[in-house]
Amino acid sequence: MFLGSAIAVAITSFPVFICIESPRYFMINNDFESSRESLKALASLTTSDLDPDKLDLNNYLTSSAKTRTQSLTQQFKDLLNNPTLLGETLIQIFIWLCVGMFFYGKNFAWEAIIPNIYFGFLIAGVAELLTALVTVPLIGKFGRRRAHIIGYFGTMLLYLLAIPDVQIVGQWTLMSISCMLSTLFVYGCFAGVYLWTGELAPTSHRGMVFCVCSSASTIGSFVGPYIFNSLTPISLGGLAFLAALCTVGCFLLVETGDKTICLTGQDVVDRRKNYFKYRV
């Protein structure tokens, strides 16, 4: 078993060695030629007409360093003094907390949810594979905001559907089937939240936002198994309520797929001014 796990980790880790290095990494190390090559490689994966050879990377790095580079203390001060940035960050923290709870809660509670624990892990594996294949294309088609709204709203409906104590066939109940189906929505949201957070958070605060959001998700992953291992109508109603709050939270955030990435907290404020002009 451990050998199989080691082989799986080795296989899944291999793509890391062939990933394109960040242009920013080369820039801060004054290797601008490698930075251009990295930009060219990234641009070739998109429909962008960017020509890295025409960019003055040295001047760009110098002019942007003061506005985009902040110490941790400065980032927290800027966060507290910017209500728009603070509000969006708090919403993201809550969403990460809930999606971590939903994701890991079921993965460590299949024995309590469905009659056959092995079938539960099989379903979880298939669902995770499907979401890995379709999440990015669906987000590209519907937009980050709309895709997450659909995901959390679907999760809420399935948790509500799981509340009635209805026997379907054998040991299978409406609760076990609903929770099993909800994995498709939860896994999709779990995969997509990384992309959306990276675009919502400004460059000056992105590392900090990811850190606090990941910490919130870790807390949710600890709490989730306790909830899903002892599901009751009350706890299912509570989970549905949290999913509903996530739906509202996604509605309050902005679509980022067709917008320029924010560099500073002020850019986030400017982006929010046109909130009602964004497509849902």
Side-chain angles (χ1 to χ4, degrees), residues 62-70 204 263-265:
T62 303
S63 62
S64 64
K66 293 182 178 180
T67 58
R68 297 172 60 181
T69 304
Q70 295 180 331
S204 57
L263 301 182
T264 66

Side-chain angles (χ1 to χ4, degrees), residues 44-57:
S44 68
L45 300 175
T46 70
T47 57
S48 172
D49 57 355
L50 175 69
D51 185 359
D53 290 327
K54 297 181 180 180
L55 298 177
D56 186 358
L57 297 181

Side-chain angles (χ1 to χ4, degrees), residues 238-275:
L239 292 171
F241 179 68
L242 291 176
L245 290 180
C246 288
T247 305
V248 175
C250 291
F251 181 80
L252 294 176
L253 295 174
V254 298
E255 173 60 44
T256 58
D258 54 351
K259 300 297 180 292
T260 303
I261 298 295
C262 293
L263 301 182
T264 66
Q266 184 57 47
D267 293 336
V268 175
V269 176
D270 296 337
R271 180 179 63 187
R272 175 61 62 174
K273 291 178 181 177
N274 296 319
Y275 169 75

Side-chain angles (χ1 to χ4, degrees), residues 201-236:
T203 302
S204 57
H205 294 71
R206 189 167 298 122
M208 184 195 68
V209 172
F210 262 114
C211 284
V212 294
C213 286
S214 181
S215 298
S217 179
T218 301
I219 294 173
S221 70
F222 289 148
V223 176
Y226 290 101
I227 297 175
F228 281 90
N229 271 292
S230 56
L231 288 175
T232 64
I234 295 177
S235 61
L236 284 167

